[in-house]
Structure formats: C-alpha cells, structure tokens
Amino acid sequence: MAALYACTKCHQRFPFEALSQGQQLCKECRIAHPVVKCTYCRTEYQQESKTNTICKKCAQNVQLYGTPKPCQYCNIIAAFIGNKCQRCTNSEKKYGPPYSCEQCKQQCAFDRKDDRKKVDGKLLCWLCTLSYKRVLQKTKEQRKHLSSSSRTSHQEKEQYSRLSGGHYNSQKTLSTSSIQNEIPKKKSKFESITTNGDSFSPDLALDSPGTDHFVIIAQLKEEVATLKKMLHQKDQMILEKEKKITELKADFQYQESQMRAKMNQMEKTHKEVTEQLQAKNRELLKQAAALSKSKKSEKSGAITSP
C-alpha cells in the first residue's frame, strides 16, 4: 500500500503525486486558495479569500505605516518607510547603487558581482528575473510535452506497422494477380477510346488522386477567404478609428487655439485696464499734492497777515 501524506491546508491524506511540489496542497485547496501576486510588493502568496489581495507582510505594514508609495528605484508600490521599498533598501546596502535593467530599462538592477546569479549573463531586476525564469520553465515544460507526444506517436506507428505487416504480405499475392488480370482489360478500353479519336492518358486513369486532398485544399481555401475577409474588416475598423482620432486631434487643436486667443485677449484687456487705472491714480496723486500745497500757502499767508 502506497504511503499517504497530509495536505498542509485541509490536513486530509493523499498520495504524494496528488500534492503540489512547493506547499504540499491537494487539488481542492489549490483551486480554493490559488497562488496570486500581492498588489503591493508583487510577491506570490497563497490567497486565503478572494477579497484578500495583499500578502500578510504588507497587511501588517499597512496597519503600522499606512498605504505605501511607489519605490523610487523599481517603481513597485511597496515603499512603506521613506521613498524606497525594503527589497531595494537591503540590496542597496549589500550591493551598492542600482544599475539599469537590460529588460525594462529601469534603474533598479543590483549587480551581485557574481555571473552565476545572473540570468543568461544578463543584469536584470527582481521582477524581470522572475518573469524570465517563468518563461524558461514554460518552454521546458512545452518541450517535454512535445518530446513525450512524439515518442508515443512513433511507438503507435511501429505497433501499427507490425500488426499490418502480416496482413499486407498475405494480401500482396492476391493484389498482384488481380492487377495483372485487369491490365489487359484496361488496355483494350484505352485502345477503343483512341480509335474513336479521343485523346486519353492511361497513366491518369490508373493513378487517379484521392478526393481527400481536394477536400483539404477546398477547406484551406475557404479558411483563407474568411481570414482575408476578417483582415479587410479589421483594416476598415482601423481606418475608421484613425479617421476619428484625426478629427478629435483637429477639434482639440481648434479648441486650444481658441482658448489661447481668448487668453491673449483677456491679458490685453487686463493690461489696458491696469494702465488706465495707473494713469488715473497718478492724476489723483498730482491733484492731492496740489491741494496740499495750496492749503500750506494759505496757512502761511494767514499767519503773516497780522
């Protein structure tokens, strides 16, 4: 009897093959609690509920420090303290300032001074490294699947050839004798056709092609016609959208020019009004100065008169 192992979530026992490799979960728990990416730090975690979109660590940091800001290096929304996320802060302390990532071109790749830790000799940031490794894993799995399918098809062909070999050898003698009996009959038919004046090739009559090829060609032609039709429709849609975009751009430019003209006019009128008010203010100041002067002279005349 095969050994049974407990699921880490529901604690039910299953065979080893039924559990996931990483966290040892059964199929039902994998469906109920899928592995998703955290909204903030972008790390993968086991989702407890559909409403929960951040990992436990980020949930604790939100309670302590509030909503995070984008990191100034990697642009991930995980900077709870300062302007850098914890990952970039630790990497900067350990490896020095960041370099430009060869994939996303952001200044967030840290050189570990070890070519073995690079991905195919490329200096990548944390997110690009994860995506690159994921793509490599998928391609490896696809290659394995293709190689296994090709092996099974080759084995099936070998079995079919072994099974059909004896039947083919038993029928070979019958087929050759029947063909030899039918050839003179066909020759007499072709001779009668040529004597009547019609040109007909016996090779075409003997080697008439099967209808399967014609059916496949017809189907392919229909598919090509439908694809051409769809392509034409897509081109028409793109042309209509481009036309609409140009119309919107022209409308926007017209409105912008109108707004600029209106602003220039308002600025001009404002300047004229301010100049008029300044001139009026100067005149009033002159009048006030003249009045004060006249009052002083009257006072001085009144004092000297007795």
Side-chain angles (χ1 to χ4, degrees), residues 160-170:
Y160 179 75
S161 62
R162 286 171 189 170
L163 291 169
S164 61
H167 181 69
Y168 176 74
N169 291 327
S170 62

Side-chain angles (χ1 to χ4, degrees), residues 237-302:
M237 286 171 67
I238 289 164
L239 287 170
E240 287 175 2
K241 284 182 180 179
E242 285 180 352
K243 189 178 177 182
K244 197 172 181 180
I245 288 163
T246 50
E247 287 175 359
L248 288 168
K249 280 183 179 177
D251 190 19
F252 176 73
Q253 287 176 358
Y254 175 74
Q255 287 180 3
E256 192 178 3
S257 62
Q258 290 289 321
M259 286 290 291
R260 282 181 181 174
K262 196 174 180 181
M263 285 174 71
N264 290 330
Q265 187 65 31
M266 287 171 70
E267 193 176 352
K268 191 177 179 182
T269 52
H270 178 70
K271 196 174 182 181
E272 289 176 356
V273 169
T274 50
E275 284 177 357
Q276 287 175 4
L277 288 169
Q278 284 175 359
K280 198 172 182 180
N281 193 16
R282 281 194 293 270
E283 287 179 3
L284 289 169
L285 287 169
K286 283 179 183 178
Q287 289 176 8
L291 285 169
S292 64
K293 213 173 190 181
S294 63
K295 280 183 180 180
K296 282 180 181 179
S297 62
E298 283 176 3
K299 282 181 181 179
S300 61

Side-chain angles (χ1 to χ4, degrees), residues 144-157:
K144 283 181 182 177
H145 180 69
L146 288 169
S147 62
S148 62
S149 61
S150 62
R151 283 174 190 170
T152 52
S153 62
H154 183 66
Q155 287 173 0
E156 286 174 358
K157 283 180 182 177

Side-chain angles (χ1 to χ4, degrees), residues 140-203:
K140 283 180 183 178
E141 288 175 359
Q142 287 175 358
R143 283 175 184 173
K144 283 181 182 177
H145 180 69
L146 288 169
S147 62
S148 62
S149 61
S150 62
R151 283 174 190 170
T152 52
S153 62
H154 183 66
Q155 287 173 0
E156 286 174 358
K157 283 180 182 177
E158 284 182 351
Q159 288 177 0
Y160 179 75
S161 62
R162 286 171 189 170
L163 291 169
S164 61
H167 181 69
Y168 176 74
N169 291 327
S170 62
Q171 293 290 329
K172 191 174 180 181
T173 54
L174 294 171
S175 61
T176 50
S177 61
S178 61
I179 288 166
Q180 286 175 359
N181 292 328
E182 285 178 1
I183 285 169
K185 292 178 183 177
K186 288 184 180 179
K187 280 184 180 179
S188 62
K189 284 182 183 178
F190 297 136
E191 285 171 1
S192 62
I193 290 165
T194 49
T195 51
N196 291 329
D198 298 327
S199 62
F200 189 83
S201 173
D203 294 331

Side-chain angles (χ1 to χ4, degrees), residues 36-45 47 51-81 83-88 126-127 130:
V36 294
K37 284 185 179 180
C38 177
T39 308
Y40 290 151
C41 65
R42 307 304 295 165
T43 54
E44 292 182 348
Y45 72 101
Q47 193 177 27
T51 55
N52 185 19
T53 57
I54 58 174
C55 63
K56 290 180 181 179
K57 192 175 180 181
C58 286
Q60 290 174 0
N61 288 330
V62 167
Q63 288 178 358
L64 290 171
Y65 308 107
T67 308
K69 295 178 290 184
C71 177
Q72 69 176 16
Y73 289 154
C74 62
N75 211 18
I76 296 171
I77 306 167
F80 290 97
I81 304 167
N83 297 322
K84 302 171 196 171
C85 66
Q86 194 63 37
R87 192 181 294 110
C88 288
W126 180 72
L127 278 178
L130 287 181

Side-chain angles (χ1 to χ4, degrees), residues 19-31:
L19 299 176
S20 61
Q21 292 181 1
Q23 298 184 349
Q24 298 293 307
L25 295 173
C26 63
K27 189 177 181 181
E28 291 179 359
C29 291
R30 286 199 299 271
I31 294 166

Side-chain angles (χ1 to χ4, degrees), residues 87-153:
R87 192 181 294 110
C88 288
T89 304
N90 294 335
S91 298
E92 190 177 16
K93 285 178 182 177
K94 198 171 182 180
Y95 307 112
Y99 294 90
S100 178
C101 175
E102 293 183 22
Q103 187 70 27
C104 64
K105 307 301 179 186
Q106 288 191 102
Q107 202 80 10
C108 55
F110 294 93
D111 191 4
R112 299 184 181 185
K113 307 292 190 255
D114 190 358
D115 293 334
R116 290 177 297 176
K117 292 182 179 180
K118 291 181 181 180
V119 184
D120 287 345
K122 293 181 180 179
L123 184 63
L124 303 178
C125 65
W126 180 72
L127 278 178
C128 292
T129 303
L130 287 181
S131 61
Y132 198 85
K133 286 180 178 178
R134 202 177 292 114
V135 169
L136 286 174
Q137 186 65 27
K138 282 184 181 178
T139 51
K140 283 180 183 178
E141 288 175 359
Q142 287 175 358
R143 283 175 184 173
K144 283 181 182 177
H145 180 69
L146 288 169
S147 62
S148 62
S149 61
S150 62
R151 283 174 190 170
T152 52
S153 62

